Every structure is written in structure tokens, then in C-alpha cells.
Amino acid sequence: MKYSMKLSAQTYRMVRSGQQTIVLRLDDEEQRQLQVNDAILCVCPEEGQEPLEARVKALHRFPNFAKLYAALPLLKCGYSQENLAAASPEDQNQFYSQEEQERYGVVGIELRLRHPEGNAKRRASMFLSMVLRHRPQEAGITLDAHGWAGVDQLLQGINRRFPLTEEQLEDIVRTDEKQRYSFNSDKTRIRANQGHSIPVDVELAPCEPPEVLYHGTGEKYQKSILEKGLIPKTRLYVHLSQDVETAKAVGIRHGTPIVFTVQSGQMYRDGFRFYRSVNGVWLTYLVPPAYLKKME
Ligand code: HQG
């Protein structure tokens, strides 16, 4: 079944660019028919733009916007770093009356675009991250002990699947939204800043973390995490975020997001080591359950 959804000009632009992946609505009769994987057409009558073809990736339902705002990553819901601090569930009152909100509940419709903008660049970047963090053999290259790959070898190695020029590679490194990669000083070598599953030492100095850090994950892992603590699974480290919004954005990659607070200050005093990657991700080897608390 095919649905169509009207978006304001601003929402349309943010959805098209990939910055916004979750559209907020009342959970009324219309939205309740939606199911995961349904095809949905996003139209913008104001601008007379091409409709965007999408599928429903997930439906995040809440009794009210206060709960939705607390749970979902607002940076994926139409807010940006500039207006995030001022974001409030009351922003929705201009669209839906209090009465309607209480009557129907609300829903975050998570979308996956069929033809995302910048798709070729994004796919090249994802391949790079796979090669530089997990499987260099896919490009027929090896990484040195510190995770570096020669730029020439890398470009040659990925050429068949992703023919990139040096300039295009530099553009990916410069514009990556999470600053995942670094060059050495003369740009002859490149590596991923963090996120590896293969044992490389990216030369991070241990440092003192803030008193509290955050870990975003999927609800489905909650029970196991509360029993065993946070473990690195396939990566070298457990990844922790400096703020709740980033943690929620990490968590939604695993389904319904939940966030744990980590008593990192206490862990540090108890002798656990912490590292901060060049791109601002906090890393540690494991977090025992005693230092974890699920945020409500
Ligand atoms: C979970 C992305 C059950 C853990 C992000 C997580 C991040 C447990 C999953 C970076 C567990 C591993 C890393 C336990 C941990 N039982 N589940 N005891 N302990 N887990 O992708 O932290 O886009 O390896 O909660 O932004 O989600 O790749 O780790 O859900 O910075 O650059 O096991 O990856 O960055 O998943 O994400 P991941 P992550 P990039």
C-alpha cells in the first residue's frame, strides 16, 4: 500500500538532504495504518518539488511529545546543532492542540529514502570505513600497526568498486559528518580515527573523562547489558558519547533507542582507562553493570 505524507518546505529539504530521518506526527487514524516497510511518498505542496520516495524504517510511538523528545535523537527529527538547545516538546503545540496530542498519542515516523542525496559519496565513504576499520583485505591492502594505509595503495585498491581521485578522497575526509578519518601531515597516509575491529593502535593517550558519559543502544540489548555490562562486541573498545543527543543518535542504529549513563568519573578513580579519539568519541575497554544506569 502506498501512503503520501505532506511535508513543510523546511522539513522536505531536511529529509531530502538526509539530515532529518524522523518525521513527527499525531498518531491518529491515518498514521495508525502505517506499518514498517510501507512505501511512502513525501510531498511538499508549498514548493511544488519532486515527491521523495521512501519506506517506513521504524515507527516510534509515544503517549506524548515530552516522552518522544526525551527518547528520540532530536538531531534526526528536524533540529540542528544551532537550535537544539532551545528544542522543546511545546514546539509541537503550533501544529497539534494539547487535546489532540492527549487523545491520539504521537509517533516518530523513521524513513529510509529510496534515492538519498549524495548517495555515491556516502557509499564510497561507508566502503572506506569498512576497509580502514574492519577488512583492509577487501581493497587488497594492509594497515600498519597504527592503522595507517598508503593513500596511493588505497585509491588503487578500491578503484574497481569506487574510482576516486585524491581530491574526492580529501573531500570525503574533510566533510565526513563524524570526522571518521585523518591524513598524516603530508597526506600520503590515511586512517580511521576510531571504530576498528582489527587490532591497531591509533596512539590515543589515556585521559580523564568527564564525570558522566552516555551510551546509546537498542532496547533489545538492555537486559544483557544490565547483566554483563557494556562489552566491545566486535570492536576494540566500548564507544561512549559526551552528550545525550549523540548517544540517542547512536542508539537508534539498533532499533528503539535507549540511553545509559556511565559513571565515568568514578570508573576512572577506580582505575579504568579512558581514551578520547580525535573525533571526540570516548573509548574504554568495558563498563561493568555497577557503573551503568538506564535513563528514563
Ligand atoms: C551493544 C558509530 C548486549 C552495544 C557510532 C551496541 C559509534 C551489548 C552494540 C560507533 C552488550 C555494538 C560505535 C552486552 C554492548 N549485551 N549488547 N553486554 N554490550 N552491547 O556498532 O556503540 O558511524 O559495535 O550497546 O556513532 O553502537 O560507525 O557499537 O549497541 O560511535 O562511525 O552492542 O559506531 O559510528 O554495536 O557504535 P557497535 P555502537 P560510525
Side-chain angles (χ1 to χ4, degrees):
M1 182 165 195
K2 197 146 202 170
Y3 294 90
S4 94
M5 181 160 65
K6 279 189 201 147
L7 303 182
S8 69
Q10 164 149 353
T11 304
Y12 176 91
R13 280 194 294 272
M14 288 183 79
V15 168
R16 186 179 57 190
S17 73
Q19 200 186 335
Q20 176 170 358
T21 53
I22 304 174
V23 175
L24 308 185
R25 288 284 183 273
L26 272 191
D27 197 15
D28 57 16
E29 286 89 0
E30 210 181 318
Q31 323 301 338
R32 272 191 213 154
Q33 293 179 35
L34 277 181
Q35 289 185 10
V36 170
N37 235 358
D38 276 345
I40 191 162
L41 211 54
C42 303
V43 295
C44 178
E46 278 173 62
E47 298 221 318
Q49 296 269 16
E50 282 278 286
L52 303 172
E53 284 180 57
R55 280 195 183 271
V56 177
K57 185 175 172 197
L59 293 159
H60 305 280
R61 297 198 150 96
F62 298 90
N64 52 49
F65 280 116
K67 292 226 158 71
L68 181 148
Y69 271 54
L72 296 185
L74 299 177
L75 288 171
K76 308 269 176 199
C77 296
Y79 290 94
S80 62
Q81 288 296 354
E82 289 72 52
N83 60 15
L84 184 63
S88 152
E90 288 173 14
D91 297 347
Q92 299 298 327
N93 295 350
Q94 54 180 316
F95 307 115
Y96 310 113
S97 72
Q98 206 63 46
E99 199 191 341
E100 284 176 316
Q101 297 180 29
E102 274 162 32
R103 178 149 146 234
Y104 295 112
V106 303
V107 58
I109 305 169
E110 192 177 352
L111 299 171
R112 186 190 294 119
L113 287 189
R114 268 195 76 185
H115 308 288
E117 254 184 8
N119 205 9
K121 184 167 153 187
R122 197 171 306 175
R123 282 181 39 231
S125 174
M126 285 179 70
F127 187 68
L128 268 185
S129 121
M130 195 265 287
V131 166
L132 294 175
R133 287 167 165 181
H134 311 297
R135 298 168 62 80
Q137 65 273 22
E138 295 275 330
I141 59 167
T142 50
L143 308 183
D144 76 6
H146 301 300
W148 293 110
V151 168
D152 290 344
Q153 287 91 320
L154 175 73
L155 289 177
Q156 208 171 30
I158 65 174
N159 182 49
R160 209 162 36 88
R161 285 162 78 175
F162 294 98
L164 292 182
T165 63
E166 249 180 89
E167 289 70 36
Q168 285 168 325
L169 182 66
E170 280 178 27
D171 177 58
I172 288 176
V173 173
R174 192 177 53 247
T175 59
D176 183 81
E177 83 272 15
K178 293 187 184 172
Q179 292 294 297
R180 292 179 178 90
Y181 321 101
S182 294
F183 287 113
N184 66 341
S185 55
D186 64 5
K187 296 201 174 161
T188 53
R189 293 187 297 165
I190 182 171
R191 72 178 171 191
N193 291 321
Q194 40 71 235
H196 299 81
S197 58
I198 41 177
V200 296
D201 167 16
V202 290
E203 302 153 287
L204 299 172
C207 59
E208 184 174 351
E211 201 48 39
V212 177
L213 286 169
Y214 304 89
H215 179 82
T217 184
E219 198 174 39
K220 61 189 175 202
Y221 297 140
Q222 175 174 336
K223 188 162 167 278
S224 165
I225 289 173
L226 286 172
E227 274 167 30
K228 298 186 203 137
L230 290 171
I231 53 175
K233 293 248 184 118
T234 60
R235 307 200 194 232
L236 298 180
Y237 301 97
V238 170
H239 289 224
L240 304 173
S241 311
Q242 182 113 26
D243 59 84
V244 183
E245 281 306 322
T246 308
K248 288 195 279 182
V250 174
I252 206 163
R253 293 161 49 252
H254 303 283
T256 302
I258 56 170
V259 174
F260 285 96
T261 55
V262 176
Q263 296 306 317
S264 38
Q266 192 54 50
M267 282 180 72
Y268 184 73
R269 290 188 287 281
D270 293 344
F272 289 84
R273 283 209 189 157
F274 284 81
Y275 306 87
R276 190 170 184 272
S277 70
V278 178
N279 57 338
V281 179
W282 283 92
L283 307 168
T284 192
Y285 293 110
L286 82 157
V287 180
Y291 300 98
L292 287 169
K293 192 157 184 266
K294 191 192 154 213
M295 286 184 81
E296 291 312 324

